[in-house]
């Protein structure tokens, strides 16, 4: 019988083990490694529970700092490694991915742990210092009994203490100071007879002198404060001062005893930690989390309104892929420097909020340049080449601008509006910029809301397939049915655009093939419907789908639909840009008639008719609508379309027009030689039941 496998370790247990490994060599703790791990596991529970709690407060984690010091986790590097382990785990652990405002909460938790650790360490040291002080006092009072012994003890404690000790008169003149005090002050050993207040930092001097006075006057017995002293080299040293009073034999105030602990390293480490959590490590600019906080503050206090610039570097991936990521990093740092230079002298915050995205918020003043001027300044700065391996590399940026929004806008609304404006600008091309447009924003929000609900609509069966008859223009007979998507009041074209926007194009395309194929195969059971081919028009992403051929073959196999009754039309642009041409060839080799949709008739498109086995082209909807809107049937556009139809026919390819809405349009297309058409004039998209009734009548 085999031994039972131990249960798998939880993520919290793994974090406790990582914590043990990080701090084990930094200090001596009188416990076994197992006991240490269990002890730290309790602290991990406190930290993680606090991070996940709602409402959030960092107060419960203060006990972590206390318990670390109580268990003697007090080595020189113990806190630093603790912060590294906890910070990495809390920020990047997948199990905590759902925590709202995680980075902000982690900063608060680590700050609380560090602050309480420092306080507990300070109190522990001060307790020791207090014992030292009373040892000094007892030594002095016992001088009559054992003067030599007391003096020896006093000197041993005084001289060997790692904590600075200085005894001063009530006027601040130094009477005695140990070597540790001299070390803290930068090696200055000539303190005797000098004024200690002269070493107080100018910004702290008044407060410290007042605190010493209150001790002398008996207002307080002692005080403990973190302040700055001036070292011999003129640099400030952050220290923890513990000051109390020594009285003479008559009980009158005689001296001040000051214990001094150098906490400069701890102060610097906490300051660096705060900086790293709130700034981008590559450029030194504010990161997204810090920018959000700063944006809110600037927006709330601004008197003349803010302007928010959201920048995206154009084609930055070419830099990384072509010159390498080291070159890309160098350009990002240079971009950060240049953006900061553009707004120098203004009340601004510049941030890197994404891989190649930056943001600038300007608190406008009477002298702040206008938006157009600021855009020109940014573009001019970025246009200056940076030389990498003797090659000058310049960048351009596309920018969305939100100028002086209403004060009642939230930070989320500000960022969303700037981001959507940036995306509208990117749609125009490179080095473009656009101001925020509330009407476009409203339209985009409505569109985005609909797009976001499309996956659920597909899952819930809200999207349906209708069929629009394809009519031969020569004799007005129905030669096929075109599968058309319908979602409520949204027609086929809108559904395709939404599918492309949401990434549903592939599953929607495969669903249409299967569902429409099943319906047409079912109709074949009726002899009157047996010879009606199914036309399926694909969008760009569907046309490039590597599994398109497999999806078509599966549809034919599962439905029993003959190959001769399937017509697949791929997107012309998708074929030109690569990917769709292979699908056309393989489909044609399988005996399936293929065509091109969204056809405009450019030279590149016409070349496809001779390079690929194309059976038909469907004129782009926009071209059909443009021709229908022009009353002059002898216009340049109409004559060009007439010539295009003739050229296509020379290649042995049929021409199909969609969106035909009137007898006049139908007659015109027939007159120039178009082979087939579909549109409201012949019949609107019909439900499967309506299609059955239509062909039943025929």
């Amino acid at each position: 019988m085999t031994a039972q496998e131990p249960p798998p370790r939880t993520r919290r247990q793994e974090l406790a083990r990582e914590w043990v490994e990080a701090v084990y060599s930094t200090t001596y703790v009188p416990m076994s490694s197992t006991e240490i791990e269990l002890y730290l596991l309790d602290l991990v529970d406190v930290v993680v529970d606090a991070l996940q709690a709602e409402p959030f407060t960092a107060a419960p984690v203060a006990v972590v700092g206390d318990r670390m010091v109580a268990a003697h986790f007090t080595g020189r590097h113990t806190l630093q490694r603790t912060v590294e382990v906890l910070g990495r785990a809390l920020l990047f652990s997948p199990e905590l991915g759902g925590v709202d405002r995680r980075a902000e909460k982690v900063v608060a938790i680590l700050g609380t742990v560090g602050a309480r650790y420092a306080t507990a360490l300070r109190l522990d040291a001060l307790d020791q210092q207090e014992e030292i002080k009373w040892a000094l006092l007892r030594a002095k009072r016992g001088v009559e009994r054992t003067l030599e012994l007391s003096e020896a003890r006093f000197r041993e404690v005084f001289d060997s203490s790692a904590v600075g000790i200085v005894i001063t008169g009530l006027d601040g003149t130094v009477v005695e100071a140990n070597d540790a005090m001299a070390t803290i002050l930068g090696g200055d050993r000539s303190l005797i007879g000098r004024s200690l207040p002269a070493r107080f930092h100018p910004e702290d001097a008044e407060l410290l002198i007042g605190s010493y006075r209150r001790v002398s006057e008996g207002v307080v017995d002692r005080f403990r404060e973190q302040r700055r002293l001036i070292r011999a080299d003129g640099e400030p040293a952050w220290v923890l001062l513990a000051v109390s009073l020594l009285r003479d034999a008559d009980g009158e105030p005689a001296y001040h005893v000051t214990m001094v602990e150098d906490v400069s390293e701890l102060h610097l480490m906490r300051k660096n930690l705060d900086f790293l959590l709130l700034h981008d490590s590559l450029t030194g600019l504010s990161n997204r989390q810090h920018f959000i906080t700063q944006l809110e503050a600037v927006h709330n206090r601004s008197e003349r309104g803010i302007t928010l610039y959201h920048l995206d570097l154009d084609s930055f991936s070419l830099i990384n892929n072509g010159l390498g990521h080291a070159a890309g990093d160098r350009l990002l740092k240079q971009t950060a420097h240049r953006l900061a230079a553009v707004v120098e002298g203004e009340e601004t915050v510049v941030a890197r909020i994404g891989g190649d995205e930056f943001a600038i918020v300007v608190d406008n003043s009477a002298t702040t340049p206008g938006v157009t001027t600021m855009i020109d300044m940014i573009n001019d700065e970025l246009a200056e080449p940076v030389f990498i391996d003797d090659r000058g590399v310049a960048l351009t940026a596309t920018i969305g601008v939100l100028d002086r929004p209403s004060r009642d806008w939230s930070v989320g609304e500000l960022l969303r509006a700037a981001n959507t404006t940036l995306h509208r600008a990117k749609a125009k091309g490179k080095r473009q910029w656009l101001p925020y447009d509330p009407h476009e924003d409203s339209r985009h929000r409505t569109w985005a809301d609909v797009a976001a609900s499309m996956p659920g609509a597909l899952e819930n069966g809200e999207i349906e397939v209708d069929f629009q008859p394809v009519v031969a223009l020569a004799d007005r007979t129905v030669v096929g049915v075109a599968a058309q998507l319908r979602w409520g009041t949204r027609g086929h074209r809108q559904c395709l655009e939404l599918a492309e926007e949401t990434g549903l194009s592939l599953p929607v395309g495969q669903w249409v093939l299967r569902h429409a194929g099943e319906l047409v195969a079912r109709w074949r059971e009726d002899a009157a419907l047996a010879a009606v081919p199914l036309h399926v028009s694909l969008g760009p992403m569907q046309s490039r789908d590597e599994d398109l051929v497999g999806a078509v073959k599966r549809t034919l196999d599962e439905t029993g639909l003959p190959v001769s009754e399937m017509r697949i039309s791929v997107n012309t642009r998708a074929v030109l840009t690569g990917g769709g041409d292979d699908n056309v060839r393989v489909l044609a080799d399988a005996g399936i008639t293929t065509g091109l949709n969204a056809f405009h008739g450019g030279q590149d498109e016409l070349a496809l008719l001779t390079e690929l086995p194309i059976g038909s082209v469907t004129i782009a909807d926009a071209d059909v609508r443009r021709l229908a809107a022009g009353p002059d049937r002898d216009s340049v556009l109409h004559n060009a379309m007439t010539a295009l139809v003739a050229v296509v026919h020379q290649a042995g390819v049929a021409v199909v027009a969609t969106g035909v809405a009137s007898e006049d349009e139908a007659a015109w297309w027939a007159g120039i030689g178009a082979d087939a058409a579909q549109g409201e004039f012949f019949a609107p998209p019909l439900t499967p039941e309506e299609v059955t009734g239509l062909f039943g009548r025929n």
Side-chain angles (χ1 to χ4, degrees), residues 15 78 81-82 110 195 229 272 285 294 324 421 466 557 584-585 616:
L15 176 53
T78 302
R81 295 190 182 178
T82 293
L110 294 182
S195 172
L229 298 180
N272 288 340
L285 297 178
Q294 295 298 304
T421 304
D466 288 343
D557 292 341
V584 170
R585 291 188 179 94
S616 66

Side-chain angles (χ1 to χ4, degrees), residues 301-601:
R301 71 169 181 261
S302 178
E303 296 181 358
R304 293 176 176 265
I306 65 168
T307 303
L308 177 59
Y309 300 85
H310 190 171
L311 298 83
D312 182 77
L313 301 182
D314 297 325
S315 302
F316 188 75
S317 60
L318 295 178
I319 303 295
N320 281 333
N321 296 334
L323 301 179
H325 286 274
D329 289 348
R330 180 178 171 187
L331 285 172
L332 287 173
K333 289 189 282 189
Q334 188 66 32
T335 298
H337 175 76
R338 290 180 174 182
L339 291 178
V342 167
V343 295
E344 186 175 6
E346 299 290 337
E347 289 293 328
T348 64
V349 179
V350 184
R352 181 188 177 202
I353 59 175
D356 55 2
E357 292 186 35
F358 293 82
I360 304 172
V361 59
V362 181
D363 185 0
N364 292 298
S365 67
T367 59
T368 299
V371 170
T372 303
T373 302
M374 188 72 77
I375 295 292
D376 290 340
M377 292 166 62
I378 291 173
N379 284 327
D380 290 344
E381 277 289 335
L382 296 181
E384 288 294 324
V386 177
F387 286 90
I388 299 175
D389 297 332
D390 297 326
R391 288 176 292 183
V393 180
L395 295 172
T396 61
T398 301
I399 308 171
V401 182
L402 180 61
D403 189 34
R404 291 176 170 83
S406 172
R407 187 181 291 272
D408 60 2
W409 280 30
S410 68
V411 172
E413 289 175 312
L414 297 174
L415 293 173
R416 186 203 56 76
N419 184 61
T420 56
T421 304
L422 170 63
H423 282 284
R424 286 198 301 110
K426 289 172 68 174
K428 294 180 60 180
K430 311 296 183 185
R431 194 174 173 170
Q432 301 294 317
W433 76 274
L434 281 177
Y436 171 74
D437 184 330
H439 301 294
E440 280 294 321
D441 184 53
S442 177
R443 187 192 65 80
H444 179 270
R445 293 189 75 170
T446 301
W447 175 263
D449 180 64
V450 173
S453 61
M454 190 175 195
L458 180 63
E459 183 71 21
N460 296 332
E462 298 173 27
I463 299 177
E464 300 179 89
V465 176
D466 288 343
F467 298 88
Q468 189 168 40
V470 180
V471 176
L473 289 173
D475 56 8
R476 302 290 176 91
T477 59
V478 176
V479 294
V481 288
Q484 302 274 291
L485 287 168
R486 175 171 53 83
W487 178 19
T489 59
R490 302 172 190 90
H492 184 67
R493 184 163 57 88
Q494 275 189 304
C495 288
L496 285 182
E497 291 174 356
L498 286 167
E500 290 283 333
E501 183 80 14
T502 58
L504 283 177
S505 189
L506 297 185
V508 166
Q510 294 179 5
W511 176 78
V512 169
L513 273 172
R514 185 175 63 255
H515 189 61
E518 290 173 351
L519 290 172
V520 173
R522 198 178 306 149
W523 297 338
R524 292 181 67 249
E525 298 175 3
D526 185 337
L529 303 177
V532 181
L534 171 63
H535 293 243
V536 179
S537 180
L538 304 178
M541 190 179 299
Q542 298 165 355
S543 301
R544 290 189 291 265
D545 182 13
E546 294 182 357
D547 191 41
L548 173 60
V549 175
V552 173
K553 288 185 175 180
R554 284 193 298 273
T555 297
L556 295 174
D557 292 341
E558 293 171 3
T559 62
L561 194 67
V563 171
S564 60
E565 295 184 18
M566 175 71 79
R567 308 283 188 271
I568 299 294
S569 176
V570 299
N571 181 266
T572 305
R573 178 56 53 186
V575 175
L576 286 173
T577 55
D581 51 344
D582 288 338
N583 284 332
V584 170
R585 291 188 179 94
V586 178
L587 287 171
D589 289 343
I592 298 171
T593 302
T594 58
L596 297 175
N597 62 56
F599 191 83
H600 294 279

Side-chain angles (χ1 to χ4, degrees), residues 30 53 176 190 241 267 300 452 460 489 538 560 584 595 609 625 668 689:
E176 291 202 56
S190 57
L241 301 174
H267 181 83
N300 289 338
N460 296 332
T489 59
L538 304 178
V584 170
L609 305 184
R625 291 194 299 272
W668 185 82
E689 294 76 14

Side-chain angles (χ1 to χ4, degrees), residues 56-113:
F56 170 76
T57 173
V61 304
V63 71
V64 174
D66 291 335
R67 291 182 60 182
M68 287 179 66
V69 173
H72 301 293
F73 290 93
T74 55
R76 181 176 181 181
H77 300 293
T78 302
L79 178 59
Q80 178 183 351
R81 295 190 182 178
T82 293
V83 170
E84 290 173 354
V85 170
L86 292 181
R88 183 168 55 251
L90 298 180
L91 283 172
F92 303 110
S93 177
E95 290 81 356
L96 299 175
V99 175
D100 187 32
R101 299 181 296 116
R102 176 160 52 156
E104 179 182 340
K105 293 178 180 179
V106 170
V107 170
I109 285 173
L110 294 182
T112 300
V113 171

